[in-house]
Amino acid sequence: MRLLHTSDWHLGRSFHRESLHEAQRIFLDHLVEVVRTERIDAVLVAGDVYDRALPGLDAVALFDDVLFRLAALGVPTVFISGNHDSARRLGVGSRLIDRAGIHLRTDPDGCAVPVLLADEHGPVAVYGLPYLEPALVRERFGLDRGGHDRVLGAAMDAVRADLATRPAGTRAVVLAHAFVTGGAPSDSERDITVGGAASVPAAVFDGVHYVALGHLHGCQTLAPHLRYSGSPLAYSFSEEHHRKSMWLVDLAADGTVAAERVDCPVPRPLARLRGTLAELLAAPGLGRHEQSWVQATLTDPVRPAQPMEELRRRFPHTLQLLFEPEGGGGDGAASYAARVSGRSDLEVAEGFVRHVRPGRPVDPVEHAWLIEGLETVRRATERAQEEAR
């Protein structure tokens, strides 16, 4: 059976205020063409279809259009909700849409209810595990505590129990949206540490033949049967060197996997440039970046006048300007940003507590309070954004 594994579309997202609507439309056109020309038997979309819980109308229109075209090709497609999606909104109409071969798996109660496919070698059971937020789903899995590792472990126990009731030789495929230990993150994924440990061990997924992962935006292989497709577009400058692609997965009769990458269209390359303003404007070797989206870090000892305007004369698509003066001087904001780069919200909060209260570490009770506070703020922010729209 030939599968196409993709994830993290983030429909509706922009790139440093630059609209990506047209780039996302081109990607979806490309996906449909790959499904047609490569004779795909099923498409797997491992979460974060939308960029936010309440997507804009343009993003919804893109999703509606690609659903229609995939259904018209007669190719079964399985979606799961990610941590950016509103599971309930994404799952609206799922029972009706199932009849068209489009399977939206957004309810944690359905983790062990597979989409059943078949080829000439027999049945293939596809299990969709939506993003499982520990605080919201623990009780459903009979847990009184624990983070992502425990809730995903419970979901996979249910998957393995169902698989044991299937005919001998049934091949099993799982879609999951999680941070699996060993994966390499980038700057554009939303932190999922709040509510428990961020990562889950790869062994959680033992017992199945292929795991289509979503959440991390870089395409990567953790094991032959355990892969991230990554996002189809770059959503941060940390993805400058990513090769954006989807996985074309051939699932053999015995469940072994052969996979190759299918490249995605690149709307515009990324470039991170560093130097004084004069150096960036004059260096002949930088000519290849003149049509790239540019992040420029200026090292001038004194901030130049109108640096963005000057840079855009040569690099018209400069989107981000940073200052790191040689010698370590410069504004505190840039230094603070550098200090917290790559740290989760929880790590930043705990670092602040240690900073204002030196000599006394964060104790377990305070750690729990910080988790609860961050979770409360996140939910309140999402509610406010939905009400504002």
Side-chain angles (χ1 to χ4, degrees), residues 83-130:
N83 60 302
H84 278 248
D85 299 308
S86 165
R88 292 189 65 182
R89 287 190 175 90
L90 186 64
V92 167
S94 59
R95 287 178 295 177
L96 179 62
I97 297 172
D98 261 0
R99 299 181 182 181
I102 304 294
H103 308 282
L104 303 174
R105 293 296 185 256
T106 63
D107 186 347
D109 290 338
C111 287
V113 181
V115 175
L116 294 175
L117 308 175
D119 61 11
E120 65 272 22
H121 303 297
V124 175
V126 181
Y127 298 89
L129 278 55

Coordinates of all heavy atoms in Angstrom, one line a residue, residues 83-130:
N83 N -2.1 20.4 18.1 CA -2.2 21.3 19.2 C -2.6 22.7 18.7 O -3.1 23.5 19.6 CB -0.9 21.3 20.0 CG 0.3 21.8 19.2 OD1 0.6 21.2 18.2 ND2 0.9 22.8 19.7
H84 N -2.5 23.0 17.5 CA -3.0 24.3 17.0 C -4.4 24.3 16.6 O -5.1 25.3 16.6 CB -2.1 24.8 15.8 CG -0.8 25.4 16.1 ND1 -0.6 26.7 15.9 CD2 0.3 24.9 16.7 CE1 0.7 27.0 16.3 NE2 1.2 25.9 16.7
D85 N -5.0 23.1 16.3 CA -6.3 23.0 15.8 C -7.3 23.0 17.0 O -7.0 22.6 18.1 CB -6.5 21.7 15.1 CG -5.7 21.6 13.8 OD1 -5.7 22.5 13.0 OD2 -5.0 20.5 13.7
S86 N -8.5 23.5 16.7 CA -9.6 23.2 17.6 C -10.2 21.9 17.2 O -10.8 21.7 16.1 CB -10.7 24.3 17.5 OG -11.9 23.9 18.1
A87 N -10.0 20.9 18.0 CA -10.5 19.5 17.7 C -11.9 19.5 17.4 O -12.4 18.8 16.4 CB -10.1 18.5 18.8
R88 N -12.7 20.1 18.2 CA -14.2 20.1 17.9 C -14.6 20.7 16.6 O -15.5 20.3 15.9 CB -14.9 20.7 19.1 CG -14.8 19.9 20.4 CD -15.6 20.5 21.5 NE -17.1 20.3 21.2 CZ -18.0 20.7 22.0 NH1 -17.8 21.3 23.1 NH2 -19.3 20.5 21.7
R89 N -14.0 21.9 16.3 CA -14.3 22.6 15.1 C -13.8 21.7 13.8 O -14.5 21.6 12.9 CB -13.7 24.0 15.0 CG -14.4 24.9 15.9 CD -13.9 26.4 15.7 NE -14.7 27.3 16.5 CZ -14.4 27.7 17.7 NH1 -13.3 27.2 18.3 NH2 -15.1 28.6 18.4
L90 N -12.6 21.2 13.9 CA -12.1 20.5 12.8 C -12.9 19.2 12.6 O -13.1 18.7 11.4 CB -10.6 20.1 13.1 CG -9.9 19.4 11.9 CD1 -9.8 20.3 10.7 CD2 -8.5 18.9 12.4
G91 N -13.5 18.7 13.7 CA -14.2 17.4 13.5 C -15.7 17.6 13.2 O -16.4 16.6 13.1
V92 N -16.2 18.8 13.0 CA -17.6 19.0 12.7 C -17.9 18.3 11.3 O -17.2 18.5 10.3 CB -17.9 20.5 12.5 CG1 -19.2 20.8 11.9 CG2 -17.9 21.2 13.9
G93 N -19.0 17.6 11.3 CA -19.4 16.9 10.1 C -18.6 15.6 9.8 O -18.7 15.1 8.7
S94 N -17.8 15.2 10.8 CA -16.8 14.1 10.4 C -17.6 12.8 10.0 O -17.1 12.0 9.2 CB -15.9 13.8 11.6 OG -16.7 13.5 12.8
R95 N -18.7 12.5 10.7 CA -19.4 11.2 10.4 C -20.0 11.3 9.0 O -20.0 10.3 8.2 CB -20.5 11.0 11.4 CG -20.0 10.5 12.8 CD -21.1 10.4 13.8 NE -21.8 11.6 14.0 CZ -22.8 11.7 14.9 NH1 -23.4 10.7 15.4 NH2 -23.4 12.9 15.1
L96 N -20.4 12.5 8.5 CA -21.0 12.6 7.2 C -19.8 12.6 6.2 O -19.9 11.9 5.1 CB -21.7 13.9 7.1 CG -22.3 14.2 5.7 CD1 -23.4 13.2 5.3 CD2 -23.0 15.6 5.7
I97 N -18.7 13.3 6.5 CA -17.6 13.3 5.6 C -16.9 12.0 5.4 O -16.3 11.7 4.4 CB -16.6 14.4 6.0 CG1 -17.2 15.8 6.0 CG2 -15.3 14.4 5.2 CD1 -16.4 16.9 6.7
D98 N -17.0 11.1 6.4 CA -16.5 9.8 6.3 C -17.0 9.0 5.1 O -16.2 8.3 4.5 CB -16.9 8.9 7.6 CG -15.8 8.9 8.6 OD1 -14.8 9.4 8.4 OD2 -16.1 8.2 9.7
R99 N -18.2 9.3 4.7 CA -18.8 8.6 3.6 C -18.1 9.0 2.3 O -18.2 8.2 1.3 CB -20.3 8.9 3.5 CG -21.1 8.5 4.7 CD -22.6 8.9 4.5 NE -23.3 8.5 5.7 CZ -24.7 8.7 5.8 NH1 -25.3 9.2 4.8 NH2 -25.3 8.3 6.9
A100 N -17.4 10.1 2.2 CA -16.7 10.5 1.1 C -15.2 10.0 1.1 O -14.5 10.4 0.2 CB -16.7 12.0 0.9
G101 N -14.9 9.3 2.1 CA -13.5 8.8 2.2 C -12.6 9.7 2.9 O -11.3 9.5 2.8
I102 N -13.1 10.8 3.5 CA -12.3 11.7 4.3 C -12.6 11.5 5.7 O -13.7 11.7 6.2 CB -12.6 13.2 3.9 CG1 -12.5 13.4 2.4 CG2 -11.8 14.2 4.7 CD1 -11.1 13.3 1.9
H103 N -11.5 11.1 6.5 CA -11.7 10.6 7.8 C -11.0 11.6 8.8 O -9.8 11.7 8.8 CB -11.1 9.2 8.0 CG -11.7 8.3 7.0 ND1 -12.9 7.7 7.1 CD2 -11.1 7.8 5.8 CE1 -13.1 6.9 6.0 NE2 -12.0 7.0 5.2
L104 N -11.8 12.3 9.6 CA -11.3 13.3 10.5 C -11.3 12.7 11.9 O -12.4 12.4 12.5 CB -12.2 14.6 10.5 CG -12.4 15.3 9.2 CD1 -13.4 16.4 9.3 CD2 -11.1 15.8 8.7
R105 N -10.1 12.5 12.4 CA -10.0 11.9 13.7 C -9.6 12.9 14.8 O -8.4 13.3 14.8 CB -9.0 10.7 13.7 CG -9.5 9.5 12.8 CD -10.8 8.9 13.4 NE -11.2 7.7 12.8 CZ -12.3 7.7 11.9 NH1 -12.9 8.8 11.7 NH2 -12.7 6.6 11.4
T106 N -10.6 13.4 15.5 CA -10.3 14.5 16.5 C -10.8 14.2 17.9 O -10.5 15.0 18.8 CB -11.1 15.8 16.0 OG1 -12.5 15.5 16.0 CG2 -10.6 16.2 14.6
D107 N -11.4 13.1 18.1 CA -12.0 12.7 19.4 C -11.1 11.7 20.1 O -10.9 10.6 19.5 CB -13.4 12.2 19.2 CG -14.1 11.9 20.5 OD1 -13.5 11.9 21.6 OD2 -15.3 11.7 20.5
P108 N -10.6 12.0 21.2 CA -9.7 11.0 21.9 C -10.4 9.7 22.2 O -9.7 8.6 22.2 CB -9.4 11.7 23.3 CG -9.5 13.1 23.0 CD -10.6 13.3 22.0
D109 N -11.7 9.7 22.3 CA -12.4 8.4 22.5 C -12.3 7.5 21.3 O -12.6 6.3 21.4 CB -13.9 8.7 22.8 CG -14.1 9.3 24.2 OD1 -13.2 9.1 25.0 OD2 -15.1 9.9 24.4
G110 N -11.9 8.0 20.1 CA -11.8 7.2 18.9 C -10.5 6.7 18.6 O -10.2 6.2 17.5
C111 N -9.5 6.8 19.5 CA -8.1 6.4 19.2 C -8.0 5.0 18.7 O -7.2 4.7 17.9 CB -7.2 6.7 20.4 SG -6.9 8.4 20.7
A112 N -8.8 4.1 19.3 CA -8.7 2.7 19.0 C -9.7 2.2 18.0 O -9.9 1.0 17.8 CB -8.8 1.9 20.3
V113 N -10.3 3.2 17.3 CA -11.3 2.8 16.2 C -10.6 3.2 14.9 O -10.5 4.3 14.5 CB -12.6 3.6 16.4 CG1 -13.6 3.2 15.3 CG2 -13.2 3.4 17.8
P114 N -10.1 2.2 14.2 CA -9.3 2.5 13.0 C -10.1 2.7 11.8 O -11.3 2.3 11.7 CB -8.5 1.2 12.8 CG -9.4 0.1 13.3 CD -10.1 0.7 14.5
V115 N -9.5 3.4 10.8 CA -10.0 3.5 9.4 C -9.5 2.2 8.8 O -8.3 2.0 8.8 CB -9.5 4.7 8.7 CG1 -9.9 4.7 7.2 CG2 -10.0 6.0 9.4
L116 N -10.4 1.4 8.3 CA -10.0 0.1 7.7 C -9.8 0.2 6.2 O -10.8 0.5 5.5 CB -11.0 -1.0 8.1 CG -11.1 -1.3 9.6 CD1 -12.2 -2.3 9.8 CD2 -9.7 -1.9 10.1
L117 N -8.6 -0.1 5.7 CA -8.3 -0.1 4.3 C -7.8 -1.5 3.9 O -7.6 -2.3 4.8 CB -7.2 1.0 4.0 CG -7.4 2.4 4.5 CD1 -6.2 3.3 4.2 CD2 -8.7 3.0 3.9
A118 N -7.6 -1.7 2.7 CA -7.2 -3.0 2.2 C -6.5 -2.9 0.9 O -6.8 -2.0 0.1 CB -8.3 -4.0 2.2
D119 N -5.6 -3.8 0.6 CA -5.0 -3.9 -0.7 C -4.9 -5.4 -1.0 O -5.5 -6.2 -0.3 CB -3.6 -3.3 -0.8 CG -2.6 -3.9 0.2 OD1 -2.9 -4.9 0.8 OD2 -1.5 -3.3 0.4
E120 N -4.2 -5.8 -2.1 CA -4.2 -7.2 -2.5 C -3.5 -8.1 -1.4 O -3.6 -9.3 -1.5 CB -3.4 -7.3 -3.8 CG -2.0 -7.0 -3.8 CD -1.7 -5.5 -4.1 OE1 -2.6 -4.7 -3.9 OE2 -0.6 -5.2 -4.5
H121 N -2.8 -7.5 -0.5 CA -2.1 -8.3 0.6 C -2.9 -8.4 1.8 O -2.5 -9.1 2.8 CB -0.8 -7.7 0.9 CG 0.1 -7.6 -0.3 ND1 0.6 -8.6 -1.0 CD2 0.6 -6.5 -0.9 CE1 1.3 -8.2 -2.0 NE2 1.4 -6.9 -2.0
G122 N -4.1 -7.8 1.9 CA -4.9 -7.9 3.1 C -5.2 -6.5 3.7 O -5.0 -5.5 3.1
P123 N -5.7 -6.5 5.0 CA -6.2 -5.3 5.6 C -5.1 -4.4 6.2 O -4.0 -4.9 6.6 CB -7.1 -5.9 6.7 CG -6.5 -7.2 7.1 CD -6.0 -7.8 5.8
V124 N -5.4 -3.1 6.2 CA -4.5 -2.2 6.9 C -5.4 -1.3 7.8 O -6.4 -0.7 7.3 CB -3.8 -1.2 5.8 CG1 -3.0 -0.2 6.6 CG2 -2.9 -2.1 4.9
A125 N -5.1 -1.3 9.1 CA -5.8 -0.6 10.1 C -5.1 0.7 10.4 O -3.9 0.7 10.8 CB -6.0 -1.4 11.3
V126 N -5.7 1.9 10.1 CA -5.1 3.2 10.3 C -5.7 3.8 11.5 O -6.9 4.1 11.5 CB -5.3 4.1 9.1 CG1 -4.6 5.4 9.3 CG2 -4.7 3.4 7.8
Y127 N -4.9 4.0 12.6 CA -5.4 4.6 13.8 C -5.0 6.1 13.9 O -3.8 6.4 13.8 CB -4.8 3.9 15.0 CG -5.2 2.4 15.1 CD1 -4.4 1.4 14.4 CD2 -6.3 2.0 15.8 CE1 -4.8 0.1 14.5 CE2 -6.7 0.6 15.9 CZ -5.9 -0.3 15.2 OH -6.3 -1.6 15.3
G128 N -6.0 7.0 14.1 CA -5.7 8.4 14.2 C -5.7 8.8 15.7 O -6.8 8.8 16.3
L129 N -4.5 9.2 16.2 CA -4.5 9.7 17.6 C -4.3 11.3 17.5 O -3.3 11.8 17.2 CB -3.2 9.2 18.3 CG -3.3 7.8 18.9 CD1 -3.8 6.7 17.9 CD2 -2.0 7.4 19.6
P130 N -5.4 12.0 17.8 CA -5.3 13.4 17.8 C -4.4 13.9 18.9 O -4.0 13.1 19.8 CB -6.8 13.9 18.1 CG -7.4 12.8 18.8 CD -6.8 11.5 18.2

